[in-house]
Amino acid sequence: MNPADFSKARTIQETTFLEDLDDSQSKKLASVLDELKSSTKATQVYRGVSRENLISKLTLENDAAILDEKLFTLLFYFGEKAKHYYEIEDPLAKSLRYLKCVEDLSPTSNEGIFNEILHSFNNCEAAKKFSKIAPDFFSFFQNSSNLEKFNTGIQRLGQISRDYYLYFLHTIGHDAFSKHSLLVSTSTNFDVASAAGNYVIYYIIPDPLEKYAIDPISLSIQKLEENLMNHELPTYNKKVNYPTEYEICVRSALFARSILGVKNNTEKTFIVNPHIFSNESGSIINGLSIDQSDFEDSLPETAYHRGVVLTLDGHYQTIEKNN
């Protein structure tokens, strides 16, 4: 983390205006950054987005003139979610062959994922490239008799195993899958993220990483891959299509409680998540404490068709908006 990133730090003050940090806030931010620097219990990633992209998801008006303080207030409350939550409307979601919702581990859904991976090897150049560096992964999906094994394994191992395979479809840019995605792309490399958008979200993934994200080359994924192999399912074997992108796919959403802030590359400013400065903020490493008691009631004011929550037992669960 480059200290220069925070030399022009601002936040949304109690006045609701975007202003420079006061002395106590500067000290608090320095303390948070020191904690992150010394911690081995979190992974920092970056996500580049355009202002227009944030506006299209966080507002209904799609108003280009929206003030930054309003836009960032929405981001630090609702977070940013995977395409499934804003590209797929509720009636369409219920009619889908697979991934009707984040809880969907049905045989029909698992078959759809299996078939999309199989078809990608025939129709997607990135998938064809991957088949050459991971032949065992490729050959598994060429054999239709493995479908039953695939379905059984995912149902036994749960959402994390399904999302492990969704990583493949997500990262190859498979067109048919794109709008269904339950993953959010991030990178451990700031420059890679900056190429995707002028605003760069600084996001903190708590440990264990695999509970919150999929990174096939991390050591933390080893236990999951051992479980997959015990069910005779294929693994990536530390292979990825685009190693120079340093991609980590966050599961379902960038939750507001784990957003450190946003770097505006044009203005060279850093907008700190204001919840860091509340008296009972908690730790950014474990997730900030944010009052989201009216989340369901406020969700219809955004372009998100539904929300998502991570339950205490580690499952992702749909939040229906109150109309």
Side-chain angles (χ1 to χ4, degrees):
M1 200 180 309
N2 187 349
D5 291 349
F6 309 97
S7 61
K8 294 177 64 177
R10 313 185 80 194
T11 194
I12 301 151
Q13 303 287 13
E14 292 184 1
T15 61
T16 71
F17 290 111
L18 196 56
E19 299 174 349
D20 294 343
L21 304 188
D22 60 31
D23 288 344
S24 65
Q25 290 172 333
S26 295
K27 290 177 182 178
K28 174 67 173 180
L29 176 60
S31 173
V32 169
L33 296 179
D34 285 343
E35 181 185 16
L36 286 170
K37 185 177 180 179
S38 61
S39 176
T40 59
K41 297 185 179 299
T43 302
Q44 182 182 330
V45 293
Y46 308 95
R47 174 167 172 79
V49 292
S50 67
R51 189 174 192 275
E52 293 74 18
N53 182 266
L54 283 181
I55 291 172
S56 70
K57 290 179 281 193
L58 292 168
T59 73
L60 284 177
E61 301 85 3
N62 206 10
D63 180 11
I66 186 173
L67 296 176
D68 277 354
E69 40 263 63
K70 175 61 175 176
L71 182 61
F72 289 126
T73 295
L74 293 170
L75 176 65
F76 296 139
Y77 186 80
F78 291 105
E80 192 188 7
K81 307 185 194 329
K83 284 189 175 182
H84 169 83
Y85 298 95
Y86 62 90
E87 292 277 9
I88 304 294
E89 296 186 24
D90 289 337
L92 176 59
K94 293 173 183 176
S95 68
L96 294 175
R97 291 184 298 109
Y98 63 98
L99 296 181
K100 295 177 183 292
C101 58
V102 69
E103 298 92 339
D104 192 354
L105 296 174
S106 66
T108 301
S109 183
N110 295 336
E111 181 180 2
I113 295 168
F114 185 98
N115 288 334
E116 290 294 352
I117 294 175
L118 170 62
H119 293 155
S120 73
F121 283 121
N122 299 321
N123 302 307
C124 175
E125 289 303 317
K128 293 176 184 177
K129 174 185 173 184
F130 189 77
S131 70
K132 293 179 172 59
I133 62 175
D136 291 343
F137 187 91
F138 168 75
S139 62
F140 177 89
F141 291 98
Q142 298 301 304
N143 187 345
S144 60
S145 66
N146 285 329
L147 173 57
E148 183 177 354
K149 194 181 298 182
F150 183 76
N151 176 56
T152 300
I154 287 181
Q155 291 197 326
R156 287 179 178 172
L157 297 175
Q159 294 175 354
I160 188 172
S161 63
R162 175 203 61 197
D163 294 351
Y164 179 87
Y165 294 105
L166 293 183
Y167 175 94
F168 174 76
L169 292 173
H170 182 91
T171 56
I172 63 171
H174 186 36
D175 290 341
F177 169 77
S178 176
K179 289 185 177 182
H180 301 255
S181 185
L182 289 169
L183 303 175
V184 181
S185 292
T186 69
S187 176
T188 57
N189 184 287
F190 177 84
D191 291 336
V192 170
S194 292
N198 184 54
Y199 288 168
V200 180
I201 300 172
Y202 286 47
Y203 191 72
I204 309 301
I205 305 174
D207 275 353
L209 184 143
E210 67 274 11
K211 180 178 178 181
Y212 306 94
I214 303 295
D215 178 13
I217 64 174
S218 72
L219 293 176
S220 66
I221 207 76
Q222 183 174 341
K223 183 177 179 181
L224 170 60
E225 292 189 329
E226 287 175 355
N227 288 333
L228 293 171
M229 289 187 287
N230 287 339
H231 286 79
E232 300 181 65
L233 298 181
T235 66
Y236 300 118
N237 196 25
K238 301 292 186 287
K239 301 292 194 307
V240 293
N241 250 329
Y242 304 106
T244 58
E245 292 188 359
Y246 307 100
E247 183 166 7
I248 294 180
C249 288
V250 176
R251 301 175 63 196
S252 277
L254 302 188
F255 292 112
R257 64 175 180 264
S258 295
I259 297 177
L260 177 64
V262 181
K263 176 74 178 292
N264 182 329
N265 279 335
T266 299
E267 299 182 1
K268 307 300 181 187
T269 55
F270 187 84
I271 316 305
V272 185
N273 187 338
H275 301 291
I276 285 175
F277 305 119
S278 66
N279 292 332
E280 304 296 332
S281 64
S283 168
I284 187 71
I285 290 177
N286 299 315
L288 301 170
S289 177
I290 302 176
D291 180 5
Q292 294 177 302
S293 54
D294 64 344
F295 189 95
E296 291 91 336
D297 290 334
S298 301
L299 199 58
E301 299 171 14
T302 74
Y304 289 122
H305 301 297
R306 64 200 72 84
V308 62
V309 64
L310 178 59
T311 61
L312 293 176
D313 60 2
H315 291 90
Y316 288 79
Q317 182 175 310
T318 301
I319 297 176
E320 301 292 350
K321 62 184 179 182
N322 291 336
N323 294 311

